[in-house]
Amino acid sequence: MKKSAPVSRREYARFLDKNGNDFIDDSLIRDLIEKNKNPEKKRIRQIIAKALEIKRLEPEETAALLNVKDRDLLLEMQEAALEVKKKVYDNRIVTFAPLYLSNLCINDCLYCAFRKSNAAEKRRILTLKETEEETKALISSGHKRIIVVYGEYPSSGIDYMTDTINTIYSVKVRHGEIRRVNVNAAPMKIRDLKKLKKTGIGTYQVFQETYHHETYAKVHPSGPKSDYRWRLYALHRAQEAGIDDVAIGALFGLYDWRFEVMGLLYHTIDLEKHFGIGPHTISFPRLEPASGSELPEKSKHKVSDGDFMKLISVIRLSVPYTGMIITARETAKIRRNALSSGITQTDASTKIGIGAYSDRYSKQEAERQQFMLGDTRSLDKVIGEFAEMGHIVSFCTAGYRCGRTGECIMNLLKKGEEKWFCKMNAVLTFREWLDDYASPETKKKGEKIIKKEINEIKTKKPEVFKRFSEQYEKIKNGDRDIYF
Ligand code: SAM
Ligand code: SF4
């Protein structure tokens, strides 16, 4: 098959080192994993202690954590991961829903149902009217944050993206609206990223899929996505375009999971080096069976549940300040366990068919899905479960709307100062949600957690309690979208 020409090097050449290399040195990563094969208990405990001080780990340290096999130490790592999460994010969890707008794609990623050569895939791109319908359905189920997902195709390029995002922000259903639109879309030129920024997006997310150069070339045989570096520096360009909340991720199962964790860390370090700030979130989806996939059902790099839990703890400890996302690809049980290892964000009531939230042809939904989901429970059910586990779901979107983004939010998070803003906003937005959308059962569970949080604000932050209580009363009386 003829390969399409790589996109201009000019967009990323300035980030390469003086020998023209990118920041992923495959043999160095392999050596580090090998060299740290039998880490001593004492050293692991020192590394854990460093993470507990909310300091980002170095590659040698992460490589050592990846090699831990001792069950007690693994448990210590998991406990420390949860401790780190609590220090930075307390007991808050953020929920969102993905909104797939188009499955047209010029790339041929072997693992994805949307790939160009999957002739069985029915192609669809939502009109603005359909986008509005999807948004209404999402708002009605209680969502305030979504992530829009696009294939890569000329007709779903930057103009389509900005039109659909503007449409989403314009929709209102009674009290409700979408207050934060994050974006998962193909790498773009700086010119287009600036247009994206203008729509008022939250986070821009691009997964490298695999950091291993050779595997990357194998699974991305053609199209713009076959250019590893065009993708590797997508978020560097986003930063230059002024989008300072960027999100990285790897698709676990394409290559050795230890290598991918190291890749995510090196990506973090390179973003820190150039922009003084790491990723806003890290994602670690596991490869799921997809119709039309060219990969064998049983990949030799399939990540077991045990290794998956371990990698979550290792990422949490390695980049203590970052948000961590687990999605509905995983089962409810795995998501529950992951919550105890430091996850901060998850989706709920997820549908990944194009037009699936609003349309009535749900029989066809499976055909239009990108891959199979592990957890299709409603937002109400998921929130009820989290409340029972002692987590408060925060619908707060104040941060990016009042300039607490990028480096500013990261510094506040590292110092633990964002905690009180976030706690108060979590309570205000959760109150709103309970009154507008919760079932009686979930409301009962939610009230308990709200009571506990209010008590904490009263005893630990008395200087702001009066102001907080006034805002809380306003929400109870029907005011909406109040935040600190
Ligand atoms: N087309 C854009 C891109 O590739 O960056 C964005 C959309 S793509 C649908 C979003 C993500 O879905 C990909 O980055 C990939 O990690 C994930 N994905 C694709 N196929 C998958 C599969 N079979 N199982 C799990 N995740 C998958
Ligand atoms: Fe297209 Fe993205 Fe799927 Fe690749 S992962 S085929 S680029 S939609």
Side-chain angles (χ1 to χ4, degrees):
M1 194 184 303
K2 191 173 171 292
K3 280 197 175 184
S4 58
V7 191
S8 164
R9 249 176 75 93
R10 264 180 304 165
E11 289 264 338
Y12 59 74
R14 65 194 167 286
F15 298 120
L16 302 176
D17 72 13
K18 59 181 186 320
N19 300 315
N21 295 319
D22 58 59
F23 58 82
I24 298 292
D25 181 340
D26 297 43
S27 50
L28 173 68
I29 293 181
R30 288 253 64 98
D31 286 352
L32 280 176
I33 295 174
E34 194 52 40
K35 212 174 96 193
N36 289 281
K37 231 174 181 152
N38 296 305
E40 284 179 13
K41 270 193 182 178
K42 193 173 152 215
R43 180 158 169 248
I44 294 299
R45 292 201 170 114
Q46 282 166 348
I47 298 171
I48 292 176
K50 178 177 172 185
L52 283 167
E53 287 172 31
I54 318 299
K55 289 189 177 140
R56 202 251 305 129
L57 300 183
E58 294 302 326
E60 284 255 8
E61 295 164 329
T62 296
L65 294 185
L66 288 170
N67 278 309
V68 171
K69 293 193 185 71
D70 180 279
R71 286 176 80 92
D72 293 339
L73 264 191
L74 284 172
L75 197 62
E76 280 178 44
M77 279 163 57
Q78 193 185 355
E79 284 166 4
L82 185 59
E83 195 52 38
V84 165
K85 190 255 171 182
K86 280 192 191 150
K87 276 191 181 176
V88 181
Y89 293 94
D90 204 352
N91 60 340
R92 287 186 310 280
I93 179 124
V94 160
T95 53
F96 65 94
L99 172 53
Y100 280 63
L101 287 153
S102 136
N103 60 358
L104 293 165
C105 199
I106 46 172
N107 292 308
D108 215 10
C109 315
L110 298 191
Y111 44 83
C112 179
F114 297 170
R115 60 198 290 257
K116 181 174 99 178
S117 10
N118 183 12
E121 177 77 4
K122 290 200 180 78
R123 305 291 165 169
R124 191 170 170 193
I125 175 164
L126 294 186
T127 61
L128 293 184
K129 183 81 199 124
E130 287 167 333
T131 304
E132 202 183 309
E133 293 306 316
E134 288 285 275
T135 310
K136 280 184 186 161
L138 283 165
I139 295 172
S140 303
S141 63
H143 282 290
K144 306 252 181 252
R145 286 174 180 250
I146 61 170
I147 180 156
V148 285
V149 185
Y150 305 87
E152 185 165 12
Y153 203 75
S155 55
S156 60
I158 187 64
D159 293 335
Y160 176 72
M161 288 182 206
T162 53
D163 286 349
T164 44
I165 294 167
N166 288 332
T167 301
I168 292 165
Y169 275 134
S170 72
V171 178
K172 296 247 181 296
V173 181
R174 281 177 291 126
H175 288 313
E177 75 256 292
I178 297 297
R179 295 181 189 158
R180 181 172 172 123
V181 177
N182 297 331
V183 178
N184 179 311
M188 289 171 232
K189 289 189 175 164
I190 292 185
R191 191 185 58 204
D192 290 344
L193 287 161
K194 284 184 177 163
K195 291 186 191 167
L196 194 62
K197 156 96 184 158
K198 270 201 183 143
T199 60
I201 62 160
T203 310
Y204 174 49
Q205 181 183 67
V206 178
F207 299 159
Q208 186 60 23
E209 320 296 12
T210 172
Y211 286 91
H212 187 246
H213 288 82
E214 199 186 317
T215 305
Y216 188 94
K218 265 192 218 148
V219 298
H220 303 111
S222 67
K225 196 161 169 181
S226 60
D227 186 339
Y228 178 99
R229 288 177 176 174
W230 171 243
R231 195 164 182 92
L232 191 66
Y233 291 104
L235 300 172
H236 290 60
R237 293 195 295 282
Q239 284 282 0
E240 288 196 329
I243 300 175
D244 55 4
D245 280 351
V246 298
I248 63 174
L251 184 53
F252 281 83
L254 296 175
Y255 188 62
D256 181 357
W257 62 271
R258 295 169 195 84
F259 189 99
E260 307 297 11
V261 172
M262 295 297 284
L264 290 166
L265 180 66
Y266 275 107
H267 202 159
T268 299
I269 294 172
D270 209 64
L271 287 167
E272 284 179 357
K273 179 175 134 195
H274 288 283
F275 307 103
I277 174 189
H280 187 71
T281 56
I282 299 184
S283 297
F284 27 85
R286 279 195 286 184
L287 189 60
E288 293 294 330
S291 61
S293 164
E294 281 259 328
L295 295 180
E297 276 282 299
K298 288 212 164 58
S299 152
K300 75 171 178 184
H301 297 299
K302 192 171 162 51
V303 184
S304 70
D305 289 351
D307 286 340
F308 189 58
M309 285 305 150
K310 182 170 159 185
L311 77 84
I312 292 175
S313 299
V314 175
I315 296 174
R316 175 73 293 155
L317 295 171
S318 300
V319 193
Y321 57 80
T322 196
M324 287 177 67
I325 304 180
I326 192 164
T327 68
R329 290 173 180 88
E330 302 296 341
T331 60
K333 185 170 166 227
I334 293 277
R335 298 215 284 177
R336 262 193 302 279
N337 291 343
L339 218 61
S340 312
S341 301
I343 291 300
T344 61
Q345 295 198 22
T346 190
D347 53 342
S349 64
T350 295
K351 293 187 178 182
I352 55 174
I354 314 291
Y357 291 109
S358 55
D359 73 22
R360 291 154 199 92
Y361 322 112
S362 47
K363 265 189 274 153
Q364 292 170 14
E365 212 178 272
E367 287 170 36
R368 296 203 304 270
Q369 284 200 158
Q370 190 198 9
F371 45 78
M372 288 321 198
L373 293 172
D375 185 359
T376 51
R377 288 173 305 158
S378 69
L379 180 62
D380 184 78
K381 278 263 172 324
V382 170
I383 289 182
E385 180 183 275
F386 289 165
E388 271 177 332
M389 292 169 73
H391 302 279
I392 182 166
V393 168
S394 175
F395 287 94
C396 170
T397 49
Y400 91 106
R401 291 191 290 164
C402 47
R404 293 200 296 272
T405 61
E407 201 173 352
C408 166
I409 181 95
M410 282 302 165
N411 287 335
L412 289 169
L413 283 174
K414 284 178 198 170
K415 288 191 232 148
E417 284 175 19
E418 181 71 354
K419 186 170 160 172
W420 290 103
F421 278 116
C422 294
K423 191 181 260 309
M424 293 187 292
N425 286 337
V427 175
L428 295 179
T429 55
F430 195 45
R431 172 78 272 150
E432 229 188 276
W433 190 87
L434 286 179
D435 291 345
D436 292 345
Y437 300 101
S439 65
E441 216 185 355
T442 298
K443 195 163 181 177
K444 213 163 129 193
K445 295 173 188 166
E447 297 294 357
K448 270 196 200 157
I449 197 111
I450 284 227
K451 201 168 155 197
K452 186 180 140 282
E453 299 296 298
I454 293 179
N455 255 331
E456 209 179 311
I457 300 170
K458 189 174 178 181
T459 49
K460 297 198 180 142
K461 207 73 182 159
E463 67 273 25
V464 293
F465 188 68
K466 186 169 173 286
R467 224 180 113 215
F468 164 78
S469 303
E470 285 162 11
Q471 309 292 46
Y472 185 76
E473 282 311 307
K474 279 191 197 160
I475 298 260
K476 271 175 77 179
N477 293 327
D479 277 9
R480 290 293 173 260
D481 203 15
I482 297 174
Y483 51 85
F484 284 91

